[in-house]
Amino acid sequence: MKRSVARARAMQMVYEWELGGDGGEDTKLGLLEIKPDESEADYVDSLVAGVTENKADIDAKIEKYAIGWTLERISRVDLSILRVAVYEMLFASVPKGVAISEAVELANTYSTDKAGTFINGILGSIMRGENA
């Protein structure tokens, strides 16, 4: 699987976790068809673990830069995309521009027409704010 597909699978698992699921092996194998020996399967696991372990810090960044929005107001899909992207930007070795571009692509695929612009704005603000 390509890295972009792995990122999408991680976002879907974070989304399931957000809705109260456990993101366990049944989800990985059955729903998302992620095989343990598949390339990038470890990356999916590391993204999901990173998001869940750093949720408080990630959510604080999103709240700080999503001016006029609360986490409760952001759609669960968009919040899952943002969490994965913020994790990649701040805690992983993914270039910030790549994380933003991939997040916008996920929004264009899995969310509303305006979600890509919304997510780009928040992530761009985080990038500028954290580099200042």
Side-chain angles (χ1 to χ4, degrees), residues 50-92:
V51 169
T52 56
E53 291 167 9
N54 295 286
K55 180 183 177 286
D57 291 334
I58 292 168
D59 286 356
K61 292 293 182 204
I62 295 169
E63 284 186 313
K64 179 179 178 180
Y65 291 99
I67 311 287
W69 290 78
T70 62
L71 292 181
E72 293 75 27
R73 190 170 165 219
I74 298 171
S75 81
R76 300 300 93 184
V77 171
D78 293 351
L79 186 56
S80 298
I81 294 167
L82 284 166
R83 284 177 171 156
V84 169
V86 171
Y87 173 76
E88 286 188 312
M89 290 171 66
L90 302 181
F91 298 96

Side-chain angles (χ1 to χ4, degrees), residues 34-132:
I34 302 170
K35 296 164 186 61
D37 59 343
E38 190 170 9
S39 69
E40 303 295 347
D42 289 341
Y43 191 66
V44 173
D45 291 339
S46 71
L47 284 177
V48 174
V51 169
T52 56
E53 291 167 9
N54 295 286
K55 180 183 177 286
D57 291 334
I58 292 168
D59 286 356
K61 292 293 182 204
I62 295 169
E63 284 186 313
K64 179 179 178 180
Y65 291 99
I67 311 287
W69 290 78
T70 62
L71 292 181
E72 293 75 27
R73 190 170 165 219
I74 298 171
S75 81
R76 300 300 93 184
V77 171
D78 293 351
L79 186 56
S80 298
I81 294 167
L82 284 166
R83 284 177 171 156
V84 169
V86 171
Y87 173 76
E88 286 188 312
M89 290 171 66
L90 302 181
F91 298 96
S93 60
V94 176
K96 290 175 176 59
V98 171
I100 293 170
S101 177
E102 291 288 331
V104 169
E105 284 299 315
L106 286 172
N108 290 338
T109 301
Y110 293 100
S111 194
T112 65
D113 292 342
K114 296 181 181 180
T117 303
F118 174 71
I119 287 172
N120 186 55
I122 293 171
L123 296 176
S125 293
I126 291 171
M127 182 176 73
R128 287 185 300 278
E130 296 305 304
N131 287 336

